[in-house]
Amino acid sequence: MTNPAVDALTSVLPYIDSWLEYRAWKTRTPGVQAAVYFDGALQFSKAYGFADVENGVALTSDHLFRIASHSKTFTATAILQLFEAGELRLDDPAGKFVPALVEAGSPVADVTVRELLEHSAGVIRDGLDGDYWQYVRAFPDQAELVAIIIEGGDKALPGEGFNYTNVGYSLLGLIVAAASGRSYNDYVTVEIVDRLGLKNTGPELDALRADEYARGYTGFHTALDRRPVDHVDTRAMAAATGFYGTAEDLVHYFAAHFPGDERLVKDSSKRMQQREQWLSDAATPGAAHYGLGMIIERIGDHRVVGHSGGYPGHITRSLFDPAAGLAISVLTNAVDGPAAELSNGVLRLIDAALVQAPALSLAAPATARTDIPSTRFTGRFANMWGVLDVVQLGERLVSLHPGSPNPLDGLDELEIVDENTLLIRKGSGFGSVGERMIYEFDADGAVLSLRGSGGMSLWPLGALGEAHPLT
């Protein structure tokens, strides 16, 4: 027996593919890699654009991205594994594992493992000299990291508030090493990456796979062109930002954090990890919460968990809904890459596919035709004012605007009137609700033009960016 919800999710994937391709092109992002996991399996994996623009290397689903602060989810998972094994307690002080902090009299010696995990330890974010983030100098090694912590590493009292800290998570990497008796990189590789069979994930730059990395690029905020950015070793900060991976590997990794899957940690630990510990900004409506190495947000009706990542040249974002068994990952290779926008958009399109078509009103004549296939009308159309997609989302025929960061902004619900006509049945009153969209077809049934919202003509969009002349 088929599952209607799964069928609806599967049916929207071709449009998600089309939307991602258009958004990657419109935002001029060098490359975008995306994956979707549901119903217990990888359902979608695509790549768009280039891994190396200068050399014309097309991006694939196997190219490696630096996933930056996704690393914190791996570090927190490692800590919880050691907690379950009795190798540490979450209320242990950091100084128990890094005696140099005690010897130097650093206040950070007294902060707890739990406080570091939830970013409430009051530890400085990146140190007083964070120029390693823009390659003015190398990332700190272990001695430099400890020196950063000792020489002004405390900026607030523990428990005083949420203070995101890469230095604090790097300290957790030292704690993983001390508690396990292995290096941080070795521990997470064996106990997380290898357990899940992730072939394209690791805790630090792998020089042996240099040709497999997607090249990073600068943003448009300082120049009218993008410039390439090299990959570097993050050294003692791997636990905060060193990981590499692919969108496919990431959705498989986050699926291991669904309830009932205890390959990495028990459900009791996952509940702690995914529980809202701190609100990131109480003054901002809809601000994200933070758990133990996980960001918790609300997107529509979903409570999603996951993390974003910002590495020089790469912006990434993954989210999962543990209750729905759904995971989404989007990776981009530019400093201003729209990973959050795209991952949110994919989730919203999935939700839109699950909405049932409205019942016809009994008080009005039934005008909808069910004998004419909606595929006659679907497609991507453009005019001087923008681009319009007519698409079947689940049980609904709709029009939407792929040029918008939120694909559901301005969505209109349509019904088929006859072989040449759609009725805009439902949508914003600022649009053309109650009016008709008139199509012109050639002898083979291909759309020649469409007179749409506001009575303006649109023409089929061929190759990206190419439509009929708009004069």
Side-chain angles (χ1 to χ4, degrees):
M1 179 180 295
T2 62
N3 184 325
V6 171
D7 291 345
L9 292 180
T10 303
S11 71
V12 77
L13 295 178
Y15 181 69
I16 286 174
D17 181 15
S18 173
W19 180 78
L20 284 170
E21 181 184 24
Y22 182 76
R23 290 301 301 165
W25 172 84
K26 182 175 175 58
T27 58
R28 305 303 191 263
T29 304
V32 174
Q33 194 182 82
V36 179
Y37 181 106
F38 61 82
D39 195 32
L42 177 72
Q43 303 288 350
F44 177 88
S45 179
K46 290 295 291 286
Y48 312 88
F50 294 93
D52 183 336
V53 174
E54 289 74 21
N55 292 302
V57 179
L59 184 69
T60 71
S61 295
D62 292 328
H63 274 105
L64 309 178
F65 282 72
R66 302 304 291 277
I67 55 175
S69 287
H70 282 75
S71 307
K72 295 178 176 69
T73 72
F74 289 86
T75 300
T77 299
I79 289 286
L80 289 170
Q81 288 178 333
L82 293 166
F83 162 72
E84 290 181 356
E87 301 297 334
L88 57 72
R89 298 180 306 159
L90 298 185
D91 293 326
D92 280 339
K96 176 180 177 179
F97 304 97
V98 187
L101 301 181
V102 179
E103 294 164 6
S106 169
V108 179
D110 295 326
V111 305
T112 68
V113 172
R114 187 191 306 274
E115 289 166 338
L116 290 168
L117 285 171
E118 63 188 33
H119 294 294
S120 68
V123 175
I124 197 167
R125 191 185 197 281
D126 293 290
L128 298 176
D129 179 1
D131 275 341
Y132 49 85
W133 280 112
Q134 49 188 346
Y135 297 174
V136 174
R137 65 185 186 90
F139 274 78
D141 61 17
Q142 182 170 331
E144 291 172 306
L145 173 65
V146 172
I148 288 170
I149 296 170
I150 291 172
E151 298 164 10
D154 57 312
K155 70 173 186 180
L157 294 174
E160 190 173 52
F162 177 80
N163 287 284
Y164 190 83
T165 168
N166 287 307
V167 170
Y169 259 79
S170 302
L171 175 56
L172 283 169
L174 303 184
I175 292 173
V176 168
S180 67
R182 294 184 264 174
S183 72
Y184 171 83
N185 289 2
D186 178 66
Y187 180 88
V188 294
T189 298
V190 172
E191 303 300 340
I192 299 178
V193 175
D194 291 350
R195 277 197 200 182
L196 299 180
L198 304 177
K199 302 300 184 184
N200 291 314
T201 301
E204 186 55 275
L205 180 66
D206 186 344
L208 296 178
R209 304 183 70 176
D211 293 341
E212 299 177 54
Y213 286 84
R215 198 172 195 180
Y217 289 89
T218 58
F220 284 133
H221 54 284
T222 57
L224 294 178
D225 60 344
R226 298 188 186 277
R227 299 174 186 178
V229 180
D230 294 330
H231 294 280
V232 300
D233 196 313
T234 60
R235 306 211 287 178
M237 298 193 74
T241 194
F243 265 79
Y244 67 84
T246 63
E248 281 189 16
D249 268 13
L250 281 169
V251 294
H252 281 291
Y253 163 68
F254 282 116
H257 290 81
F258 293 169
D261 188 327
E262 298 194 349
R263 287 175 292 170
L264 296 180
V265 293
K266 298 175 182 177
D267 280 357
S268 56
S269 291
K270 289 199 285 287
R271 286 192 291 271
M272 281 196 295
Q273 191 172 20
Q274 298 172 28
R275 183 182 304 139
E276 294 97 334
Q277 307 292 341
W278 289 92
L279 181 63
S280 60
D281 183 358
T284 302
H289 286 79
Y290 208 89
L292 304 184
M294 296 280 189
I295 297 172
I296 301 104
E297 301 173 88
R298 295 277 177 178
I299 301 175
D301 293 331
H302 292 270
R303 177 186 183 274
V304 297
V305 188
H307 222 289
S308 54
Y311 177 89
H314 286 187
I315 297 294
T316 56
R317 203 284 191 91
S318 301
L319 57 86
F320 67 99
D321 181 339
L326 170 70
I328 298 166
S329 183
V330 176
L331 315 181
T332 69
N333 60 339
V335 164
D336 56 358
E341 167 203 311
L342 296 179
S343 52
N344 286 354
V346 170
L347 180 60
R348 289 179 173 124
L349 286 169
I350 286 172
D351 277 351
L354 295 174
V355 177
Q356 292 185 345
L360 295 174
S361 171
L362 298 178
T367 58
R369 293 279 297 273
T370 58
D371 58 325
I372 302 173
S374 62
T375 51
R376 177 174 174 80
F377 302 95
T378 56
R380 177 163 289 154
F381 309 95
N383 65 14
M384 179 182 289
W385 291 93
V387 178
L388 182 76
D389 283 348
V390 177
V391 60
Q392 186 78 37
L393 289 183
E395 296 186 15
R396 298 183 300 163
L397 182 64
V398 304
S399 66
L400 47 79
H401 303 276
S404 171
N406 180 350
L408 303 190
D409 283 346
L411 180 147
D412 286 332
E413 294 188 3
L414 312 173
E415 67 180 41
I416 300 170
V417 175
D418 58 40
E419 291 186 345
N420 301 301
T421 311
L422 298 177
L423 173 68
I424 303 175
R425 174 177 180 144
K426 182 180 179 182
S428 169
F430 284 104
S432 301
V433 176
E435 299 178 23
R436 299 193 174 202
M437 298 166 61
I438 311 297
Y439 282 70
E440 179 185 2
F441 299 91
D442 67 14
D444 296 322
V447 178
L448 294 174
S449 66
L450 159 64
R451 194 169 295 280
S453 179
M456 287 190 292
S457 294
L458 299 98
W459 296 271
L461 193 64
L464 288 177
E466 297 178 4
H468 281 262
L470 303 180
T471 56

